[in-house]
Amino acid sequence: MKNSAARKLKQVPSGYLRVGVDPHKKKHAAVAMTEDLLVQSKFKFANSRRGFEEALDRARAEMIRTGCRGVIFAIETAAHYWRNFAYFLDERGVPFRLVNQFTLKRRREGKDLNKRKNDFRDAEVAAQLLGSGEFTETRLPQGVYAELRSGYNTYRRLVRERSRITNLVKGLLDGLFPEFTQVFKDPCGQTALSVLSICPIPGVINGMTEEDFISTIRERHQGRLMKRKLLALHYAARTSIGIEAGAQSVSLEISLLVDKLRLIDRQMDRMEEVLIRLVDETEEGKYLLSIRGLNYISVAGLLAELGTFRSYQNARQLIKMAGSNPTESESAGKRSSRTPMSKKGRPGLRYCGWIAVIPLLRHNPDFRAWAKRLRERPVHAHPLKRREIIGAALNRLLRLAFALVKKQAFYRVPQTAGVAS
């Protein structure tokens, strides 16, 4: 196994001035130190192009004064304020490395038992971690991969917002019309949304005949109308235990939430079109889409988190990036019977892989037969449970994706898998 710490140390040339940066919204704090960890200067610069130019000039002046051969920056990745300065340095061709904020916090707490903390202290620790090789080798996404990252993040925010509003609607219906979700399992269906936007109050529905109720919904509904569900809802309204006090205001709030849901659905459709176009522009997209069970949204999520596959030398790097690599636990000669995920990678990548793997296990005969063997193997071979199989399938998907892209080959279902299914 190659020593990753030694490989990282080679990325920091000897004789370079190390500048640690603690980013903030208005002003960034910076500490410049030499290779022998001697602090040379401390300064702050504005979060603007002029401030970035001044920081670069200040670092170069310190480099000349101390007789260093070059300058390299160490940027703490707290919040999102580091991204502008990192892209600025990348455009100028200035070397930099990113320091994980959790690693920095633990190193600072271990060295300063008095809990001393300030902006310059964080920047100083970032520069020290650069010298010990404790930094990430993250590459900034460019081109279509940067567009994919931003677009997929927007899509995920819309999904979370839609789930939040859906849960809020369900909570309001629990008081206004508890029987509604018994008739319509999904209150966000087209027919259910039409009812909620017009008359979700049981007393109002009960005051109309079945024909009047259906005709009222039909007037403002587009598409196929679920008439049998409407009849069942009308019958449920007769004996509803919904609260009548304040029903009008709750009904108005539900109708407003329905308008938000419809707006979010339109926005999600637009984002899906954008993601499909971006996936088609990548060189990896056509190979990943050939895997039976993967759709455009799943591939967009994987590429948004992983970026171009040219940055990786082997599939283990993809698995480590996801944090889905199994880790062992041993103490006093005793080992745990299970090896859970390390979860030291990107949680967004684990999420994308997790939701991509579930359809694979259902619709891909190769993955389905493979999962069946893991689930039904003998007790002494440690058969896997459902969640363990999904985690193992995630790693298998990443290895398969890496192999297809590197070989520029399309996926073909093995004949043995088709027979076993």
Side-chain angles (χ1 to χ4, degrees):
M1 178 181 289
K2 295 182 179 180
N3 192 324
S4 59
R7 186 185 70 251
K8 289 182 178 181
L9 286 175
K10 291 181 180 179
Q11 300 177 14
V12 183
S14 61
Y16 266 48
L17 182 71
R18 301 164 184 177
V19 182
V21 178
D22 182 23
H24 295 279
K25 184 176 180 61
K26 296 182 178 180
K27 282 191 174 183
H28 303 333
V31 173
M33 66 171 55
T34 52
E35 189 176 9
D36 56 359
L37 303 183
L38 182 62
V39 176
Q40 299 297 327
S41 63
K42 300 179 181 181
F43 58 93
K44 289 189 176 183
F45 58 96
N47 185 22
S48 63
R49 178 166 293 275
R50 182 177 179 181
F52 295 168
E53 296 281 1
E54 293 176 354
L56 193 55
D57 293 340
R58 181 73 177 272
R60 287 171 175 169
E62 289 294 334
M63 176 192 70
I64 296 174
R65 186 181 65 84
T66 55
C68 295
R69 298 190 302 111
V71 59
I72 183 171
F73 286 82
I75 309 175
E76 179 191 1
T77 56
H80 57 274
Y81 304 119
W82 61 272
R83 300 180 73 250
N84 300 77
F85 187 55
Y87 272 97
F88 171 81
L89 295 177
D90 191 53
E91 293 174 359
R92 298 303 181 89
V94 180
F96 67 92
R97 293 295 182 269
L98 303 179
V99 177
N100 185 278
Q101 66 269 27
F102 183 77
T103 304
L104 187 145
K105 178 182 179 181
R106 286 292 182 261
R107 171 60 67 89
R108 187 190 66 239
E109 291 177 346
K111 293 177 68 68
D112 298 335
L113 298 180
N114 57 359
K115 304 298 182 181
R116 177 169 64 100
K117 188 207 181 285
N118 54 63
D119 297 340
F120 287 122
R121 181 54 180 156
D122 286 347
E124 182 181 347
V125 175
Q128 293 173 356
L129 290 174
L130 187 67
S132 60
E134 298 177 74
F135 54 82
T136 62
E137 299 176 279
T138 304
R139 297 186 181 182
L140 300 179
Q142 302 288 347
V144 64
Y145 300 98
E147 297 291 342
L148 266 174
R149 173 74 66 86
S150 301
Y152 190 77
N153 287 339
T154 302
Y155 181 81
R156 279 199 62 186
R157 281 193 289 269
L158 290 174
V159 172
R160 288 195 294 267
E161 180 66 13
R162 191 180 190 278
S163 300
R164 186 189 68 84
I165 295 177
T166 301
N167 293 332
L168 183 56
V169 169
K170 291 180 179 179
L172 293 174
L173 286 175
D174 288 340
L176 180 66
F177 197 171
E179 298 79 9
F180 189 93
T181 52
Q182 298 176 7
V183 177
F184 290 96
K185 302 300 180 182
D186 180 17
C188 296
Q190 294 301 320
T191 303
L193 289 180
S194 297
V195 176
L196 293 178
S197 62
I198 298 173
C199 51
I201 303 176
V204 176
I205 297 176
N206 189 32
M208 295 185 289
T209 63
E210 294 180 347
E211 292 76 11
D212 292 340
F213 175 60
I214 294 176
S215 61
T216 301
I217 302 300
R218 191 186 300 276
E219 290 176 0
R220 297 176 57 180
H221 180 77
Q222 296 180 355
R224 177 175 173 271
L225 190 67
M226 304 176 70
K227 185 176 179 180
R228 297 178 62 180
K229 292 278 189 180
L230 294 178
L231 293 176
L233 186 68
H234 187 276
Y235 179 80
R238 301 175 186 174
T239 58
S240 175
I241 58 172
I243 302 174
E244 297 182 0
Q248 293 293 336
S249 297
V250 175
S251 173
L252 177 60
E253 183 179 2
I254 290 177
S255 65
L256 295 177
L257 293 176
V258 169
D259 293 339
K260 288 184 179 181
L261 283 173
R262 287 173 172 168
L263 174 61
I264 291 176
D265 287 338
R266 293 195 296 269
Q267 293 174 341
M268 289 178 62
D269 292 338
R270 290 180 58 187
M271 286 307 307
E272 287 179 1
E273 295 176 359
V274 172
L275 292 177
I276 290 173
R277 176 178 57 82
L278 292 174
V279 169
D280 288 335
E281 294 179 6
T282 62
E283 58 180 332
E284 299 91 354
K286 56 185 177 181
Y287 302 114
L288 298 183
L289 287 171
S290 67
I291 302 176
R292 184 184 300 183
L294 282 188
N295 57 19
Y296 270 98
I297 301 303
S298 299
V299 173
L302 293 174
L303 293 178
E305 293 292 337
L306 290 171
T308 175
F309 278 40
R310 294 181 179 180
S311 303
Y312 305 95
Q313 284 72 42
N314 53 66
R316 291 191 301 273
Q317 292 178 319
L318 275 67
I319 296 174
K320 188 175 181 181
M321 179 74 75
S324 57
N325 52 311
T327 57
E328 61 180 355
S329 176
E330 181 180 2
S331 179
K334 297 180 180 180
R335 292 186 178 184
S336 174
S337 60
R338 299 293 177 181
T339 52
M341 291 183 179
S342 66
K343 295 187 178 180
K344 291 184 179 180
R346 293 180 174 177
L349 179 55
R350 287 197 301 277
Y351 169 81
C352 296
W354 194 274
I355 62 175
V357 158
I358 294 178
L360 278 178
L361 295 175
R362 293 178 180 175
H363 307 295
N364 190 303
D366 181 23
F367 275 77
R368 190 166 61 243
W370 169 81
K372 183 179 180 180
R373 291 195 301 269
L374 295 182
R375 184 173 55 252
E376 296 179 354
R377 63 189 182 185
V379 177
H380 63 83
H382 300 291
L384 299 185
K385 299 179 181 178
R386 180 177 180 274
R387 293 179 65 87
E388 294 172 332
I389 291 176
I390 295 177
L394 169 58
N395 295 339
R396 190 171 193 256
L397 171 62
L398 294 177
R399 288 192 293 267
L400 175 62
F402 182 83
L404 293 178
V405 173
K406 287 301 179 181
K407 296 179 181 179
Q408 295 185 355
F410 294 97
Y411 176 78
R412 292 183 299 177
V413 179
Q415 294 297 327
T416 55
V419 174
S421 61

